[in-house]
Amino acid sequence: MRVVFLGTGGTYPSKKRNVSSVTTQIGPDVVMFDCGEGTQRQLTISPVSFMRIRAVFFTHLHADHFLGLPGLIQSMSLNGRTEALQVFGPDKTIETVRDMLNLGHFRSQFDVIAKELAPGENIDLGSFNVSVAEASHNVPSLAFAVEEEPRRGRFDIQRAKELGIPAGPKYRDLQEGRPVTVDGRTIQPQDVIGQERSGRKMVYSGDTRPCQSVTEMAAGADMLIHDGTLDSTHARLADEFGHSTAAQAAKVAKDAGVATLYLTHISPRYDDDSVLLAEARSVFPHSVVAHDLDVVEIRYRKPG
Amino acid sequence: MRVVFLGTGGTYPSKKRNVSSVTTQIGPDVVMFDCGEGTQRQLTISPVSFMRIRAVFFTHLHADHFLGLPGLIQSMSLNGRTEALQVFGPDKTIETVRDMLNLGHFRSQFDVIAKELAPGENIDLGSFNVSVAEASHNVPSLAFAVEEEPRRGRFDIQRAKELGIPAGPKYRDLQEGRPVTVDGRTIQPQDVIGQERSGRKMVYSGDTRPCQSVTEMAAGADMLIHDGTLDSTHARLADEFGHSTAAQAAKVAKDAGVATLYLTHISPRYDDDSVLLAEARSVFPHSVVAHDLDVVEIRYRKPG
């Protein structure tokens, strides 16, 4: 599972940070979360192919999270895309997508299918699942979790040999969960196959105050990407505009027991973001401030 | 008169070029021509202050020329702008601007006044004038000329002293075109004031095939910024999609007798644009291929 940060800045772009967008890739499939203005330009300087984007999820309908969609669709269309693109988001997403596609002289050569989501929904995208929770912003706002299906445990070939199981169809039967018989002995799958391994899990909060629903969704995630717009000296401002401080994001990460926290939606006021990093790490040591074009591979955790 | 190229790429952005936008500044006033997606990010890395933009002119309503407007307006609004912004363009501009401002959850804190223009119109912006010509694209499309008012000739102080004119109110009378009397002699303004000097003139073609109306508008311009999307091996494609080759743009510049040609709207296919430069210079030696963030000062021409 590869996560690419395309834009990590809050509200409006700065020299160093474009506005919000992040992609998650599992195998060949890319899913995009938020698509602020200029995202297609960021894609050109990233390792992500924009033709592989299967779906776009909007956390909310502030322009720094969605204005990149019509240009991206236009470029996909000019580059010959024919496959439909799914666009998910909160209330008003259908109307907003329709209005964006009707601007100026342009008609997409492929279908754009918009769907409005409610907290608690799950979207099955084949190799992974996206679930939806409510965030706490000043407009309707969602958080998303990307989770792989749990994987089968490892097949222990050494043990299989010791049990005298001949390589071949019986291996497959065991891997697919069926007992086999060898020399009159019944061998159960669990005799040669280890514990089921969890799939990887990434959670993206969008713009949000710290809140219980995002903390619950993030439980045990490998990566939590959380609003960390401001430092604690601006806690009141953060609350007023529906954002989190770095320390609040770190507290969510700690309470949820995630492996690593990435702060995003960094205010353009921080030319130097070390104050955010220090503040987050004082609460939760496995904190990172995300930067534009960072590429992070989420690996399977060792069982145990 | 300072011209800043914010985006010089055609159709969609590439690593090196963002989509179309250019600004012209005279004194403190900035006017923007086209505003493709990501223009506000380009502004952050340019010397242009986005708060000084008085008006935006759209050549036509293809997304790579206008999608940057709503984000720019939002950032101006968040930064406290209260002064109205004028937006000019061809038919459908009023509807397109209205629709862009109604996307998602956002209300501008200042007025955005859209006006549709026809070829032949002139817009008086105080320190300069913008005139409008028809371009030849595959949707309704305009070209614009920015012209300063002609300036008075220089006051020749040495000559005034020789004529015995005392420094003071009589100097002002002469500068404002009134004759004065010195020791019974009548002195005419033209005795001490040189020829009227032309104001500077910049012409921006937008997306266009070579055409007579743009050639006429560009007559004697200091700078012509012209569509030079493709090289001559793709002349047929250029014509089909309503663009010019570098050689065609150079022919327009030559016929119009401009001082310098800047090619813009360069196709993303040119990682190396030297083929366009060579082709243009073979027709018109004072040709340049514009690059993002180029800053060009247009100086007054020496009278002669």
Side-chain angles (χ1 to χ4, degrees), chain A residues 11-18 36-42 44-45 61-64 66-68 70-72 74-75 78-79 92 96 99-100 102-105 107 139-140 292, chain B residues 11-18 36-42 44-45 61-64 66-68 70-72 74-75 78-79 92 96 99-100 102-105 107 139-140 292:
Chain A
T11 315
Y12 49 87
S14 64
K15 285 185 194 194
K16 292 184 180 173
R17 297 177 188 275
N18 201 42
E37 181 189 350
T39 293
Q40 61 164 329
R41 181 91 193 276
Q42 297 293 89
T44 67
I45 47 176
L61 298 174
H62 277 148
D64 56 320
F66 71 76
L67 266 179
L72 180 63
Q74 173 149 348
S75 295
L78 289 166
N79 281 278
K92 268 193 77 166
T96 304
D99 291 348
M100 284 197 282
N102 283 331
L103 293 171
H105 304 282
R107 293 298 163 264
V139 298
D292 283 21
Chain B
T11 314
Y12 48 86
S14 65
K15 285 185 195 195
K16 291 185 181 173
R17 297 179 188 275
N18 201 43
E37 181 188 350
T39 293
Q40 62 163 328
R41 181 91 194 276
Q42 296 295 88
T44 67
I45 48 176
L61 298 173
H62 277 148
D64 56 322
F66 72 76
L67 267 180
L72 180 62
Q74 173 148 348
S75 294
L78 289 166
N79 282 278
K92 268 193 81 166
T96 304
D99 291 349
M100 284 197 280
N102 283 331
L103 293 172
H105 305 283
R107 292 300 164 261
V139 298
D292 284 22

Coordinates of all heavy atoms in Angstrom, one line a residue, chain A residues 11-18 36-42 44-45 61-64 66-68 70-72 74-75 78-79 92 96 99-100 102-105 107 139-140 292, chain B residues 11-18 36-42 44-45 61-64 66-68 70-72 74-75 78-79 92 96 99-100 102-105 107 139-140 292:
Chain A
T11 N -6.0 25.4 3.3 CA -6.8 26.6 2.8 C -6.3 27.2 1.5 O -7.1 27.3 0.6 CB -6.8 27.7 3.9 OG1 -7.0 27.0 5.2 CG2 -7.8 28.7 3.7
Y12 N -5.1 27.7 1.4 CA -4.6 28.1 0.1 C -3.2 27.7 -0.1 O -2.5 27.4 0.9 CB -4.9 29.6 -0.2 CG -4.4 30.6 0.9 CD1 -3.2 31.1 1.0 CD2 -5.4 31.0 1.9 CE1 -2.8 31.9 2.0 CE2 -5.0 31.9 2.9 CZ -3.7 32.3 2.9 OH -3.3 33.2 3.9
P13 N -2.7 27.7 -1.3 CA -1.4 27.1 -1.6 C -0.3 28.1 -1.1 O -0.5 29.3 -1.1 CB -1.3 27.0 -3.1 CG -2.3 27.9 -3.6 CD -3.4 28.0 -2.6
S14 N 0.9 27.6 -0.8 CA 2.1 28.4 -0.5 C 3.2 27.9 -1.5 O 3.0 27.0 -2.3 CB 2.5 28.2 0.9 OG 2.9 26.9 1.1
K15 N 4.3 28.6 -1.4 CA 5.4 28.1 -2.2 C 5.7 26.7 -2.0 O 6.1 26.0 -3.0 CB 6.7 28.9 -1.8 CG 6.7 30.4 -2.3 CD 8.0 31.0 -2.0 CE 7.8 32.5 -2.2 NZ 9.0 33.3 -2.3
K16 N 5.7 26.2 -0.8 CA 6.1 24.8 -0.5 C 5.0 23.8 -0.5 O 5.3 22.6 -0.7 CB 6.7 24.8 0.9 CG 8.0 25.5 1.0 CD 8.6 25.4 2.4 CE 9.9 26.1 2.5 NZ 10.4 26.1 3.9
R17 N 3.8 24.2 -0.4 CA 2.7 23.2 -0.2 C 1.5 23.6 -1.2 O 1.0 24.7 -1.1 CB 2.2 23.2 1.2 CG 3.2 22.7 2.2 CD 2.6 22.8 3.6 NE 3.6 22.6 4.6 CZ 4.0 21.4 5.0 NH1 3.4 20.3 4.5 NH2 4.9 21.2 5.9
N18 N 1.1 22.6 -1.9 CA -0.2 22.8 -2.6 C -1.4 22.4 -1.7 O -1.1 21.9 -0.6 CB -0.2 22.0 -3.9 CG -1.3 22.5 -4.9 OD1 -1.4 23.8 -5.1 ND2 -2.1 21.7 -5.5
G36 N -7.6 19.2 -4.4 CA -7.6 20.6 -4.5 C -7.1 21.1 -5.8 O -6.5 20.4 -6.6
E37 N -7.3 22.4 -6.1 CA -6.8 23.0 -7.3 C -5.3 22.8 -7.5 O -4.5 22.9 -6.6 CB -7.0 24.6 -7.2 CG -6.5 25.3 -8.4 CD -6.5 26.8 -8.3 OE1 -7.1 27.3 -7.3 OE2 -6.0 27.5 -9.2
G38 N -4.9 22.4 -8.7 CA -3.5 22.2 -9.0 C -3.0 20.7 -8.8 O -1.9 20.4 -8.9
T39 N -4.0 19.9 -8.4 CA -3.6 18.5 -8.1 C -3.0 17.8 -9.3 O -2.1 17.0 -9.3 CB -4.8 17.7 -7.5 OG1 -5.1 18.2 -6.2 CG2 -4.5 16.2 -7.4
Q40 N -3.6 18.1 -10.5 CA -3.1 17.4 -11.7 C -1.7 17.8 -12.0 O -0.9 17.0 -12.5 CB -4.0 17.6 -12.9 CG -4.2 19.0 -13.4 CD -4.8 19.1 -14.8 OE1 -4.5 18.2 -15.6 NE2 -5.5 20.1 -15.1
R41 N -1.3 19.0 -11.7 CA 0.1 19.5 -11.8 C 1.0 18.7 -10.9 O 2.1 18.2 -11.3 CB 0.2 21.0 -11.6 CG 1.6 21.5 -11.7 CD 1.9 22.0 -13.1 NE 3.2 22.2 -13.5 CZ 3.9 23.4 -13.2 NH1 3.3 24.4 -12.6 NH2 5.2 23.5 -13.6
Q42 N 0.5 18.5 -9.6 CA 1.3 17.7 -8.7 C 1.5 16.3 -9.1 O 2.5 15.7 -9.0 CB 0.6 17.8 -7.3 CG 0.5 19.1 -6.6 CD 1.8 19.7 -6.3 OE1 2.5 20.4 -7.0 NE2 2.3 19.4 -5.0
T44 N 1.8 15.3 -12.2 CA 2.9 15.2 -13.2 C 4.3 15.1 -12.6 O 5.2 14.6 -13.3 CB 2.9 16.5 -14.2 OG1 3.3 17.6 -13.5 CG2 1.5 16.7 -14.8
I45 N 4.4 15.6 -11.4 CA 5.8 15.5 -10.8 C 5.8 14.5 -9.7 O 6.7 14.4 -8.9 CB 6.3 16.9 -10.2 CG1 5.2 17.6 -9.4 CG2 6.7 17.8 -11.4 CD1 5.6 19.0 -8.8
L61 N -16.8 19.9 1.0 CA -16.9 20.7 -0.2 C -16.4 22.2 0.0 O -17.0 23.1 -0.4 CB -18.3 20.7 -0.8 CG -18.7 19.3 -1.2 CD1 -20.2 19.2 -1.6 CD2 -17.8 18.7 -2.3
H62 N -15.2 22.3 0.6 CA -14.4 23.5 0.5 C -13.5 23.4 -0.7 O -12.9 22.4 -1.0 CB -13.6 23.8 1.8 CG -14.5 24.4 2.9 ND1 -14.2 24.1 4.2 CD2 -15.5 25.2 2.9 CE1 -15.1 24.8 5.0 NE2 -15.9 25.5 4.2
A63 N -13.4 24.6 -1.4 CA -12.7 24.6 -2.7 C -11.3 24.0 -2.6 O -10.8 23.4 -3.6 CB -12.7 26.0 -3.2
D64 N -10.6 24.2 -1.5 CA -9.2 23.7 -1.5 C -9.2 22.2 -1.4 O -8.1 21.6 -1.4 CB -8.4 24.3 -0.3 CG -9.1 24.1 1.0 OD1 -10.3 24.2 1.1 OD2 -8.3 23.9 2.0
F66 N -11.6 20.4 -3.5 CA -12.3 19.8 -4.7 C -12.0 20.5 -6.1 O -12.3 19.9 -7.1 CB -13.8 19.7 -4.5 CG -14.6 21.0 -4.5 CD1 -14.8 21.6 -5.7 CD2 -15.0 21.6 -3.3 CE1 -15.5 22.8 -5.7 CE2 -15.7 22.8 -3.3 CZ -16.0 23.4 -4.5
L67 N -11.4 21.7 -6.0 CA -11.4 22.4 -7.3 C -10.4 21.8 -8.4 O -10.4 22.3 -9.5 CB -11.0 23.9 -7.0 CG -12.1 24.9 -6.9 CD1 -11.5 26.3 -6.6 CD2 -13.0 24.9 -8.1
G68 N -9.7 20.8 -8.0 CA -8.8 20.2 -9.0 C -9.5 19.2 -9.8 O -8.9 18.7 -10.8
P70 N -12.3 19.1 -12.0 CA -12.6 19.3 -13.4 C -11.4 19.3 -14.3 O -11.5 18.7 -15.4 CB -13.4 20.7 -13.5 CG -13.1 21.3 -12.2 CD -12.8 20.2 -11.2
G71 N -10.3 19.9 -13.9 CA -9.1 19.9 -14.8 C -8.5 18.5 -14.9 O -8.1 18.1 -16.0
L72 N -8.6 17.7 -13.8 CA -8.1 16.4 -13.8 C -9.0 15.5 -14.8 O -8.4 14.8 -15.6 CB -8.2 15.8 -12.4 CG -7.7 14.3 -12.3 CD1 -6.2 14.2 -12.6 CD2 -7.9 13.9 -10.8
Q74 N -10.7 16.6 -17.3 CA -10.4 17.1 -18.6 C -9.2 16.4 -19.2 O -9.1 15.9 -20.3 CB -10.3 18.6 -18.6 CG -9.9 19.1 -20.0 CD -10.4 20.5 -20.3 OE1 -11.3 21.0 -19.6 NE2 -9.9 21.1 -21.3
S75 N -8.1 16.4 -18.4 CA -6.9 15.8 -18.8 C -7.0 14.3 -19.0 O -6.4 13.8 -20.0 CB -5.7 16.1 -17.8 OG -5.5 17.5 -17.8
L78 N -8.8 14.0 -22.4 CA -7.9 14.3 -23.5 C -6.8 13.2 -23.7 O -6.3 13.1 -24.8 CB -7.2 15.6 -23.3 CG -8.1 16.9 -23.4 CD1 -7.4 18.1 -22.8 CD2 -8.5 17.1 -24.8
N79 N -6.5 12.5 -22.7 CA -5.6 11.4 -22.8 C -6.3 10.0 -23.1 O -5.6 9.0 -22.9 CB -4.7 11.3 -21.5 CG -3.6 12.4 -21.6 OD1 -2.6 12.2 -22.2 ND2 -3.8 13.5 -21.0
K92 N -24.4 17.2 -1.2 CA -24.1 18.3 -2.2 C -23.0 17.9 -3.2 O -22.6 18.6 -4.1 CB -23.6 19.6 -1.6 CG -24.8 20.6 -1.3 CD -24.3 22.0 -1.0 CE -23.9 22.8 -2.2 NZ -23.7 24.3 -1.9
T96 N -22.4 19.4 -6.9 CA -21.1 20.1 -7.1 C -20.3 19.5 -8.3 O -19.8 20.2 -9.1 CB -20.2 20.1 -5.9 OG1 -21.0 20.7 -4.8 CG2 -18.9 20.9 -6.0
D99 N -22.1 20.6 -11.5 CA -21.8 22.0 -11.9 C -20.3 22.1 -12.4 O -20.1 22.9 -13.3 CB -22.0 22.9 -10.7 CG -23.5 23.0 -10.3 OD1 -24.4 22.5 -11.2 OD2 -23.8 23.5 -9.2
M100 N -19.4 21.4 -11.8 CA -18.0 21.6 -12.3 C -17.8 21.0 -13.7 O -17.1 21.6 -14.4 CB -17.1 20.8 -11.3 CG -16.8 21.5 -10.0 SD -15.4 20.9 -9.1 CE -16.0 19.4 -8.4
N102 N -20.0 21.2 -16.0 CA -20.7 22.0 -17.0 C -20.1 23.4 -17.2 O -20.6 24.2 -17.9 CB -22.2 22.2 -16.5 CG -23.0 21.0 -16.8 OD1 -22.7 20.2 -17.7 ND2 -24.0 20.7 -15.9
L103 N -18.9 23.6 -16.5 CA -18.3 24.9 -16.7 C -17.6 25.0 -18.1 O -16.9 24.1 -18.5 CB -17.2 25.0 -15.7 CG -17.6 25.2 -14.2 CD1 -16.4 25.1 -13.3 CD2 -18.4 26.5 -14.0
G104 N -17.9 26.1 -18.7 CA -17.2 26.4 -20.0 C -17.5 25.4 -21.1 O -18.6 24.8 -21.1
H105 N -16.6 25.3 -22.1 CA -16.9 24.4 -23.2 C -16.2 23.1 -23.0 O -15.0 23.0 -23.4 CB -16.3 25.1 -24.5 CG -16.9 26.4 -24.8 ND1 -18.1 26.7 -25.3 CD2 -16.3 27.7 -24.6 CE1 -18.3 28.0 -25.4 NE2 -17.2 28.6 -25.0
R107 N -16.9 18.6 -22.6 CA -17.7 17.5 -22.3 C -16.8 16.3 -22.1 O -16.0 16.0 -23.0 CB -18.7 17.2 -23.4 CG -19.8 18.2 -23.6 CD -20.7 18.4 -22.3 NE -21.5 19.6 -22.3 CZ -21.1 20.7 -21.7 NH1 -20.0 20.8 -21.0 NH2 -21.9 21.8 -21.8
V139 N -18.5 22.6 8.0 CA -19.5 22.1 7.0 C -19.5 20.6 7.1 O -18.6 20.0 7.7 CB -19.1 22.6 5.6 CG1 -19.0 24.1 5.5 CG2 -17.8 22.0 5.1
P140 N -20.6 20.0 6.5 CA -20.6 18.5 6.6 C -19.3 17.9 6.0 O -18.8 18.3 5.0 CB -21.8 18.2 5.6 CG -22.7 19.4 5.7 CD -21.7 20.5 5.8
D292 N 4.6 17.9 0.6 CA 4.2 17.6 -0.8 C 5.2 16.6 -1.4 O 6.4 16.8 -1.4 CB 4.1 18.8 -1.6 CG 2.9 19.7 -1.3 OD1 2.3 19.5 -0.2 OD2 2.5 20.5 -2.1
Chain B
T11 N -3.2 23.4 -23.0 CA -4.1 22.3 -22.8 C -4.1 21.7 -21.4 O -5.1 21.7 -20.7 CB -4.0 21.2 -23.9 OG1 -3.9 21.9 -25.1 CG2 -5.2 20.4 -23.9
Y12 N -2.9 21.1 -21.0 CA -2.8 20.6 -19.6 C -1.4 20.8 -19.1 O -0.5 21.0 -19.9 CB -3.3 19.2 -19.5 CG -2.8 18.2 -20.4 CD1 -1.6 17.5 -20.2 CD2 -3.5 17.8 -21.6 CE1 -1.1 16.6 -21.1 CE2 -3.1 16.9 -22.5 CZ -1.8 16.3 -22.2 OH -1.4 15.3 -23.1
P13 N -1.3 20.8 -17.8 CA 0.0 21.2 -17.3 C 1.1 20.1 -17.5 O 0.7 18.9 -17.6 CB -0.2 21.4 -15.8 CG -1.5 20.6 -15.5 CD -2.3 20.6 -16.7
S14 N 2.3 20.5 -17.5 CA 3.4 19.5 -17.5 C 4.3 19.8 -16.3 O 4.1 20.8 -15.6 CB 4.2 19.6 -18.8 OG 4.8 20.9 -18.9
K15 N 5.4 19.1 -16.2 CA 6.3 19.3 -15.1 C 6.9 20.8 -15.2 O 7.0 21.5 -14.2 CB 7.6 18.4 -15.2 CG 7.3 17.0 -14.7 CD 8.5 16.1 -14.8 CE 8.1 14.7 -14.6 NZ 9.1 13.8 -14.3
K16 N 7.1 21.2 -16.4 CA 7.8 22.5 -16.6 C 6.8 23.7 -16.8 O 7.2 24.8 -16.6 CB 8.7 22.5 -17.8 CG 9.9 21.6 -17.7 CD 10.8 21.6 -18.9 CE 12.0 20.7 -18.7 NZ 12.8 20.7 -20.0
R17 N 5.6 23.4 -17.2 CA 4.7 24.5 -17.6 C 3.4 24.3 -17.0 O 2.7 23.3 -17.2 CB 4.6 24.6 -19.1 CG 5.8 24.9 -19.9 CD 5.6 24.9 -21.4 NE 6.8 25.1 -22.1 CZ 7.4 26.2 -22.4 NH1 6.9 27.3 -22.0 NH2 8.6 26.2 -23.1
N18 N 2.9 25.4 -16.3 CA 1.5 25.4 -15.9 C 0.6 25.9 -17.1 O 1.2 26.4 -18.1 CB 1.2 26.2 -14.6 CG 0.0 25.8 -13.9 OD1 -0.3 24.6 -13.8 ND2 -0.8 26.8 -13.5
G36 N -5.6 29.9 -15.7 CA -5.8 28.5 -15.7 C -5.6 27.9 -14.3 O -5.2 28.6 -13.4
E37 N -6.1 26.7 -14.1 CA -5.9 26.0 -12.8 C -4.5 26.1 -12.3 O -3.6 25.9 -13.0 CB -6.3 24.5 -13.0 CG -6.3 23.8 -11.7 CD -6.4 22.3 -11.9 OE1 -6.8 21.8 -13.0 OE2 -6.2 21.5 -10.9
G38 N -4.4 26.5 -11.0 CA -3.1 26.5 -10.4 C -2.4 27.9 -10.5 O -1.3 28.0 -10.1
T39 N -3.1 28.8 -11.1 CA -2.5 30.2 -11.3 C -2.1 30.8 -9.9 O -1.1 31.4 -9.8 CB -3.4 31.1 -12.1 OG1 -3.5 30.6 -13.4 CG2 -2.9 32.5 -12.2
Q40 N -3.0 30.6 -8.9 CA -2.7 31.2 -7.6 C -1.4 30.6 -7.0 O -0.7 31.3 -6.4 CB -3.9 31.2 -6.7 CG -4.3 29.8 -6.3 CD -5.2 29.8 -5.0 OE1 -5.0 30.7 -4.2 NE2 -6.1 28.9 -4.9
R41 N -1.1 29.4 -7.3 CA 0.1 28.8 -6.8 C 1.3 29.4 -7.5 O 2.3 29.7 -6.9 CB 0.1 27.3 -7.1 CG 1.4 26.5 -6.6 CD 1.2 26.1 -5.2 NE 2.5 25.6 -4.6 CZ 3.0 24.4 -4.7 NH1 2.4 23.5 -5.4 NH2 4.1 24.1 -4.0
Q42 N 1.2 29.6 -8.8 CA 2.2 30.3 -9.6 C 2.5 31.7 -9.1 O 3.6 32.2 -9.0 CB 1.8 30.4 -11.1 CG 1.7 29.0 -11.8 CD 3.0 28.2 -11.9 OE1 3.4 27.5 -11.0 NE2 3.8 28.4 -13.0
T44 N 2.2 32.7 -6.1 CA 3.0 32.6 -4.8 C 4.5 32.6 -5.1 O 5.3 33.0 -4.2 CB 2.6 31.5 -3.9 OG1 3.1 30.2 -4.5 CG2 1.2 31.4 -3.6
I45 N 4.9 32.0 -6.2 CA 6.3 31.9 -6.5 C 6.8 33.0 -7.6 O 7.9 32.9 -8.1 CB 6.7 30.5 -7.0 CG1 5.8 29.9 -8.0 CG2 6.8 29.6 -5.8 CD1 6.2 28.5 -8.5
L61 N -13.4 30.3 -23.1 CA -13.8 29.5 -21.9 C -13.5 28.0 -22.0 O -14.3 27.1 -21.8 CB -15.3 29.7 -21.7 CG -15.6 31.2 -21.4 CD1 -17.1 31.4 -21.3 CD2 -15.0 31.6 -20.1
H62 N -12.2 27.7 -22.4 CA -11.7 26.4 -22.2 C -11.0 26.4 -20.8 O -10.4 27.4 -20.4 CB -10.6 26.0 -23.2 CG -11.3 25.5 -24.5 ND1 -10.7 25.8 -25.8 CD2 -12.4 24.8 -24.7 CE1 -11.5 25.2 -26.7 NE2 -12.5 24.6 -26.1
A63 N -11.2 25.2 -20.1 CA -10.9 25.2 -18.7 C -9.4 25.5 -18.4 O -9.1 26.1 -17.3 CB -11.1 23.8 -18.2
D64 N -8.5 25.3 -19.3 CA -7.1 25.6 -19.0 C -6.8 27.1 -19.1 O -5.7 27.5 -18.8 CB -6.1 24.8 -20.0 CG -6.4 25.1 -21.5 OD1 -7.6 25.2 -21.8 OD2 -5.5 25.2 -22.3
F66 N -9.4 29.2 -17.5 CA -10.3 29.9 -16.5 C -10.4 29.2 -15.2 O -10.9 29.8 -14.2 CB -11.7 30.2 -17.1 CG -12.6 29.0 -17.3 CD1 -13.2 28.4 -16.2 CD2 -12.8 28.5 -18.5 CE1 -14.0 27.3 -16.3 CE2 -13.6 27.4 -18.7 CZ -14.3 26.8 -17.6
L67 N -10.0 28.0 -15.1 CA -10.3 27.2 -13.8 C -9.6 27.7 -12.6 O -9.9 27.3 -11.5 CB -10.1 25.7 -14.0 CG -11.2 24.9 -14.5 CD1 -10.8 23.4 -14.6 CD2 -12.4 25.0 -13.5
G68 N -8.6 28.6 -12.8 CA -7.9 29.1 -11.6 C -8.6 30.2 -10.9 O -8.2 30.7 -9.8
P70 N -11.8 30.7 -9.4 CA -12.5 30.6 -8.1 C -11.5 30.4 -7.0 O -11.8 31.0 -5.9 CB -13.4 29.3 -8.3 CG -12.9 28.6 -9.5 CD -12.3 29.6 -10.4
G71 N -10.5 29.7 -7.1 CA -9.5 29.5 -6.0 C -8.8 30.9 -5.8 O -8.5 31.2 -4.6
L72 N -8.5 31.6 -6.8 CA -7.9 32.9 -6.7 C -8.8 33.9 -5.9 O -8.4 34.6 -5.0 CB -7.5 33.5 -8.0 CG -6.8 34.8 -8.1 CD1 -5.5 34.8 -7.4 CD2 -6.7 35.3 -9.5
Q74 N -11.2 33.0 -3.9 CA -11.3 32.6 -2.5 C -10.1 33.0 -1.7 O -10.2 33.5 -0.6 CB -11.4 31.0 -2.5 CG -11.3 30.5 -1.1 CD -12.1 29.2 -1.0 OE1 -12.9 28.8 -1.9 NE2 -11.9 28.5 0.1
S75 N -8.9 32.9 -2.3 CA -7.7 33.3 -1.5 C -7.7 34.8 -1.3 O -7.3 35.3 -0.2 CB -6.4 32.9 -2.2 OG -6.4 31.5 -2.2
L78 N -10.1 35.5 1.5 CA -9.6 35.1 2.9 C -8.5 36.0 3.3 O -8.2 36.1 4.5 CB -9.0 33.6 2.8 CG -10.1 32.5 2.6 CD1 -9.4 31.2 2.2 CD2 -10.9 32.3 3.9
N79 N -7.8 36.7 2.4 CA -6.8 37.7 2.7 C -7.3 39.1 2.9 O -6.6 40.0 2.9 CB -5.7 37.6 1.7 CG -4.7 36.4 2.0 OD1 -3.9 36.4 2.8 ND2 -5.0 35.3 1.3
K92 N -20.8 33.9 -22.6 CA -20.9 32.9 -21.5 C -20.0 33.1 -20.3 O -20.0 32.3 -19.4 CB -20.5 31.5 -22.1 CG -21.7 30.6 -22.6 CD -21.4 29.2 -22.9 CE -21.3 28.3 -21.6 NZ -21.3 26.9 -21.9
T96 N -20.5 31.5 -16.6 CA -19.4 30.7 -16.1 C -18.8 31.2 -14.8 O -18.6 30.5 -13.9 CB -18.3 30.6 -17.2 OG1 -18.9 30.2 -18.4 CG2 -17.2 29.7 -16.8
D99 N -21.4 30.5 -12.1 CA -21.3 29.0 -11.7 C -20.1 28.7 -10.9 O -20.2 27.9 -9.9 CB -21.4 28.2 -12.9 CG -22.8 28.2 -13.6 OD1 -23.7 28.8 -13.0 OD2 -22.9 27.8 -14.7
M100 N -19.0 29.3 -11.2 CA -17.7 29.0 -10.5 C -17.8 29.5 -9.0 O -17.3 28.9 -8.1 CB -16.5 29.6 -11.2 CG -16.1 28.9 -12.4 SD -14.4 29.3 -12.9 CE -14.7 30.8 -13.8
N102 N -20.5 29.7 -7.3 CA -21.5 29.0 -6.5 C -21.1 27.5 -6.2 O -21.8 26.8 -5.6 CB -22.8 28.9 -7.3 CG -23.5 30.3 -7.2 OD1 -23.4 31.0 -6.2 ND2 -24.3 30.6 -8.2
L103 N -19.8 27.1 -6.5 CA -19.4 25.8 -6.2 C -19.1 25.6 -4.8 O -18.4 26.4 -4.2 CB -18.1 25.5 -7.0 CG -18.2 25.4 -8.5 CD1 -16.8 25.3 -9.2 CD2 -19.1 24.2 -9.0
G104 N -19.6 24.5 -4.2 CA -19.3 24.2 -2.8 C -19.7 25.2 -1.8 O -20.7 26.0 -2.1
H105 N -19.1 25.3 -0.6 CA -19.5 26.2 0.4 C -18.6 27.4 0.4 O -17.5 27.3 1.1 CB -19.3 25.5 1.8 CG -20.1 24.2 1.9 ND1 -21.4 24.1 2.1 CD2 -19.6 22.9 1.9 CE1 -21.8 22.8 2.2 NE2 -20.7 22.1 2.0
R107 N -18.6 31.9 -0.1 CA -19.2 33.2 -0.5 C -18.1 34.2 -0.5 O -17.4 34.4 0.5 CB -20.4 33.6 0.3 CG -21.6 32.7 0.2 CD -22.2 32.6 -1.2 NE -23.1 31.5 -1.4 CZ -22.8 30.3 -2.0 NH1 -21.5 30.1 -2.4 NH2 -23.6 29.4 -2.1
V139 N -13.8 27.8 -30.4 CA -14.9 28.3 -29.6 C -14.8 29.8 -29.6 O -13.7 30.3 -30.0 CB -14.9 27.8 -28.1 CG1 -15.1 26.3 -28.0 CG2 -13.7 28.3 -27.4
P140 N -15.8 30.6 -29.3 CA -15.7 32.1 -29.3 C -14.4 32.5 -28.5 O -14.3 32.1 -27.4 CB -17.0 32.6 -28.7 CG -17.9 31.5 -29.0 CD -17.2 30.2 -28.8
D292 N 7.5 29.6 -17.9 CA 6.8 30.0 -16.7 C 7.7 30.8 -15.8 O 8.9 30.5 -15.6 CB 6.4 28.7 -15.9 CG 5.2 28.1 -16.5 OD1 4.9 28.3 -17.7 OD2 4.5 27.3 -15.8

